[in-house]
Amino acid sequence: WLGLISAGAIAIILAFVVITIRRTPGNPVADIERALAAGEFVPYYQPIVDIRSGQLRGAEVLVRWRKEDGSLVLPGAFIPLAESSGLIREMTRDLMRRVCVEAGSVIGCRPAMKISFNFAGQLFGDESIVKDVRKIFSGSPIKLSQVVLELTEREPIENFTETRQVIAALQGLGVRIAIDDVGTGHSGLSYMLKLGVDIIKIDKMFVDAIGTDRNSTTIVETLVDLAHNMRMDVVAEGVE
């Protein structure tokens, strides 16, 4: 009994410590939670343009932290912490809901236009995210066929089978899936071959070097040919 009481006491103390840490002023996780509650994470829209016609094909939603004083915090300063703390899911859902409210009517009346959202790799490991996406867009002018979810990951995918199942379920809704930053990090050929995605995005590092670095040009040409042979669309990052 004494052992059980001691274990229970330790568990209570640890829980209290965790709650205290999260509530401590200046704690970055608590700051993100407060900012989420206050609606300080806002969407910015980066256009995606057809290189042949110059027509607008859609936009990628980029999140920014707009603080009370109007200053902007770039995602590199908060996304890694949001992912490690588990807050990335609520942040992503909130961003999708905001886009539906802010731009839903504009996007919805242009059926050919796509709207892309960055999705952390961990979100593709949870089947319930499929219900989240369906629920958010079911009452919106934006059709699910207009939604693109971009797989972005800081850690390699450990369970390809599970991830592929979630991707297939999202595609079953009409959503298209893209791999972000292909050519760098963990986003290699295995992702293209195993995950059954619809779009690849070639990393800016290679696009910048086209025409000046022979190896980068060859890599881009190879990725484009491979994607087209696999019936995938291609987006080049960094052309601005």
Side-chain angles (χ1 to χ4, degrees):
W1 285 104
L2 288 175
L4 290 174
I5 293 173
S6 298
I10 291 172
I12 293 172
I13 291 171
L14 288 174
F16 176 77
V17 169
V18 170
I19 292 172
T20 301
I21 290 174
R22 291 174 75 94
R23 291 179 177 177
T24 301
N27 176 266
V29 175
D31 288 343
I32 292 177
E33 288 179 328
R34 180 201 57 77
L36 273 171
E40 293 182 2
F41 293 102
V42 298
Y44 272 50
Y45 301 86
Q46 178 167 291
I48 299 173
V49 177
D50 188 313
I51 196 171
R52 295 184 181 88
S53 66
Q55 291 182 327
L56 183 67
R57 286 294 188 88
E60 177 185 354
V61 177
L62 307 174
V63 63
R64 298 290 184 266
W65 183 352
R66 187 170 60 204
K67 295 192 171 184
E68 291 179 337
D69 61 3
S71 61
L72 287 177
V73 181
L74 297 179
F78 60 85
I79 289 295
L81 186 56
E83 290 182 1
S84 63
S85 66
L87 292 174
I88 191 65
R89 179 168 181 167
E90 181 54 37
M91 184 180 293
T92 304
R93 288 187 300 197
D94 181 67
L95 203 65
M96 290 190 292
R97 286 191 289 259
R98 290 188 71 132
V99 169
C100 288
V101 172
E102 290 183 3
S105 59
V106 174
I107 298 169
C109 67
R110 295 168 172 82
M113 186 173 289
K114 308 293 184 184
I115 188 74
S116 303
F117 299 88
N118 290 302
F119 251 52
Q122 61 183 266
L123 298 181
F124 286 102
D126 184 353
E127 291 183 357
S128 63
I129 198 67
V130 180
K131 295 180 181 178
D132 289 343
V133 172
R134 182 170 53 202
K135 181 178 179 180
I136 289 170
F137 291 99
S138 62
S140 164
I142 300 175
K143 301 175 182 64
L144 284 164
S145 59
Q146 294 180 275
V147 176
V148 178
L149 303 180
E150 299 183 10
L151 171 60
T152 61
E153 37 65 55
R154 301 178 189 279
E155 299 295 332
I157 292 175
E158 296 181 357
N159 191 328
F160 273 95
T161 300
E162 183 180 56
T163 301
R164 180 68 189 98
Q165 289 174 346
V166 174
I167 286 176
L170 288 164
Q171 290 170 323
L173 299 178
V175 172
R176 305 188 79 204
I177 307 297
I179 302 177
D180 201 13
D181 301 329
V182 169
T184 64
H186 307 292
S187 300
L189 295 180
S190 62
Y191 282 25
M192 292 178 63
L193 297 173
K194 294 181 180 180
L195 296 180
V197 301
D198 308 290
I199 304 165
I200 66 166
K201 298 183 67 180
I202 300 177
D203 189 81
K204 180 180 187 295
M205 177 178 71
F206 299 109
V207 175
D208 284 346
I210 290 177
T212 59
D213 180 81
R214 184 176 62 185
N215 291 333
S216 290
T217 301
T218 301
I219 290 171
V220 171
E221 290 175 347
T222 302
L223 288 172
V224 170
D225 288 342
L226 180 60
H228 287 167
N229 287 334
M230 296 177 70
R231 298 183 180 181
M232 298 176 184
D233 289 334
V234 180
V235 174
E237 298 178 343
V239 295
E240 67 275 11

